[in-house]
Amino acid sequence: MSFVESALLDRRFMSLALALGRRGLGNAWPNPAVGAVVVRNDGEPVIVGRGWTQPGGRPHAETEALARAGAAARGATLYATLEPCSHHGKTPPCTDAIIAAGITRVVSAIEDPNAVAGRGHALLRANGIVVDVGACAEDARRAHAGHIRRVCDHRPHVSLKLAVSADGKTGLAGRKPAPITGEPARARVHLMRAMNDAILVGIGTALADDPQLTCRLPGMAARSPVRVVLDAALRLPVTGTLVRSARETPLWVIAGESAPAEVEAVLAARRVEVFRLPACGGKLDISAVLALLAARGVTRLMVEGGPIVAAAFLAADMVDEAVLLRGPRLIGPDGIDALEAMPLTALTASPRLRALGIETVGEDTIETFERV
């Protein structure tokens, strides 16, 4: 087989591993959502095992794929979207399982950026296993953006979602909610929720919209992210939808240090977790919020609520990707701007973000951006 043919095969099987790994997005944290494929080549390549990181981050994708392959793994190639782990944690390292299974070649998309970067590959090579790195590397970096961001920058990867009318408004006068997009676009938002570890809104959105912030696609309620509310003064009503559903879907409230202790006690009795950070002028520092979430294991954060919070994340340069949903109808000049005290071009023409493309979904359009 020529080098080009071999490289094409590697990309083909790594693409499959990446697709498998995406099944764990929003469900594998604090661990990365890895995908793995075991392939034998007895004249023709045959897939004998597939795996992806299981809920809560264990078991890992590699051990899942090897378990499905069984004895057929001996002499085979393992494709993994991230360097196999070599350290002992809650489970033995994947490198031990790979060596024991008799794998002769490992293809990794990228090295793990954690403190032991490269050690897994070095251990495999020391045991006579051929290791190649780089197949579909750019796709893998996108897939593992949350893990990479948490390891390297000690914060989650942040995705900002905005829904705006044809005239750039996000709500009616008086900060009243308004229907902006159709059902197909809303279904896309619910899928985004399922693929993130946590979803964040400000107290203004929580009070104005009384949202659920869950994934309401059929059969996917269990994939709802942790709901996070920035609420410096602890104004979140205990009778609201978020608090009433806290026993079913986790709810975290980040409050200021001086917020009333008696309110925290009432929320805690309803299974709401309250965290405290310093507040300045009634506002929480975005960097501190993200550091807190990362310390709790969050790797991928979806910011969905409110012009004030959206503008704060943009001003702090904490937006790694953005999804802008535009509806076809006008709200009018009295409507609420999508970004507090900022033009929408602060997002669409930001030098820190580049546009990836526009997609039509029903009557709406969806434009995506990513950090340059």
Side-chain angles (χ1 to χ4, degrees):
M1 183 183 298
S2 70
F3 174 81
V4 172
E5 290 172 326
S6 178
L8 288 173
L9 271 182
D10 285 350
R11 289 189 60 83
R12 170 186 163 192
F13 291 120
M14 190 61 75
S15 294
L16 173 58
L18 285 163
L20 291 169
R22 282 191 284 271
R23 298 183 182 189
L25 288 176
N27 204 33
W29 63 286
N31 288 347
V34 177
V37 179
V38 180
V39 179
R40 287 188 65 85
N41 198 334
D42 298 322
E44 289 292 333
V46 177
I47 296 170
V48 294
R50 310 176 190 219
W52 56 92
T53 310
Q54 296 300 294
R58 307 282 176 175
H60 288 182
E62 297 93 330
T63 54
E64 285 283 293
L66 291 170
R68 289 183 170 91
R74 188 158 298 276
T77 295
L78 172 73
Y79 293 85
T81 61
L82 187 68
E83 176 184 358
C85 69
S86 60
H87 58 282
H88 287 267
K90 294 181 179 178
T91 56
C94 290
T95 50
D96 285 4
I98 293 168
I99 294 165
I103 291 289
T104 56
R105 180 177 179 240
V106 169
V107 181
S108 296
I110 56 174
E111 283 191 345
D112 193 331
N114 65 23
V116 292
R119 196 169 78 181
H121 289 154
L123 185 60
L124 294 173
R125 290 186 177 110
N127 280 270
I129 297 173
V130 175
V131 176
D132 293 310
V133 183
C136 301
E138 190 58 37
D139 292 335
R141 277 188 281 271
R142 283 196 175 95
H144 295 303
H147 173 66
I148 295 169
R149 187 69 67 186
R150 182 170 178 256
V151 168
C152 297
D153 296 338
H154 311 293
R155 68 170 178 84
H157 179 84
V158 176
S159 299
L160 173 64
K161 168 255 169 183
L162 286 177
V164 301
S165 63
D167 51 351
K169 306 295 182 179
T170 195
L172 301 173
R175 298 194 181 275
K176 296 178 182 177
I180 292 175
T181 57
E183 190 57 39
R186 286 195 290 270
R188 182 69 64 87
V189 171
H190 285 285
L191 182 60
M192 290 172 58
R193 290 177 179 178
M195 297 175 72
N196 280 275
D197 309 338
I199 181 171
L200 181 147
V201 299
I203 184 60
T205 294
L207 293 174
D209 296 358
D210 191 26
Q212 297 181 54
L213 302 181
T214 53
C215 176
R216 295 190 293 279
L217 295 176
M220 293 186 67
R223 296 295 299 267
S224 295
V226 172
R227 288 91 52 85
V228 180
V229 180
L230 301 186
D231 184 11
L234 279 184
R235 295 187 290 142
L236 189 67
V238 297
T239 56
T241 299
L242 287 169
V243 175
R244 286 190 288 106
S245 61
R247 295 178 186 273
E248 292 77 43
T249 306
L251 175 62
W252 298 352
V253 176
I254 303 179
E257 291 176 330
S258 61
E262 58 273 20
V263 177
E264 178 179 347
V266 171
L267 292 171
R270 288 159 172 78
R271 302 283 180 88
V272 178
E273 290 194 68
V274 178
F275 305 92
R276 291 180 181 267
L277 290 173
C280 181
K283 295 182 179 180
L284 298 164
D285 180 72
I286 297 301
S287 296
V289 167
L290 292 177
L292 185 154
L293 294 177
R296 295 282 297 180
V298 174
T299 67
R300 294 170 59 89
L301 175 68
M302 179 177 175
V303 176
E304 189 172 331
I308 295 174
V309 166
F313 271 82
L314 277 169
D317 191 22
M318 292 296 176
V319 175
D320 300 304
E321 60 182 82
V323 178
L324 181 63
L325 299 93
R326 292 184 190 263
R329 287 168 285 279
L330 302 173
I331 286 181
D334 294 333
I336 302 300
D337 290 335
L339 298 171
E340 184 79 6
M342 284 185 181
L344 190 55
T345 52
L347 167 64
T348 59
S350 169
R352 298 184 181 93
L353 297 169
R354 63 183 173 197
L356 297 180
I358 301 177
E359 178 184 0
T360 299
V361 178
E363 294 184 328
D364 309 309
T365 61
I366 300 179
E367 189 170 3
T368 55
F369 304 81
E370 71 174 8
R371 182 179 288 276
V372 175

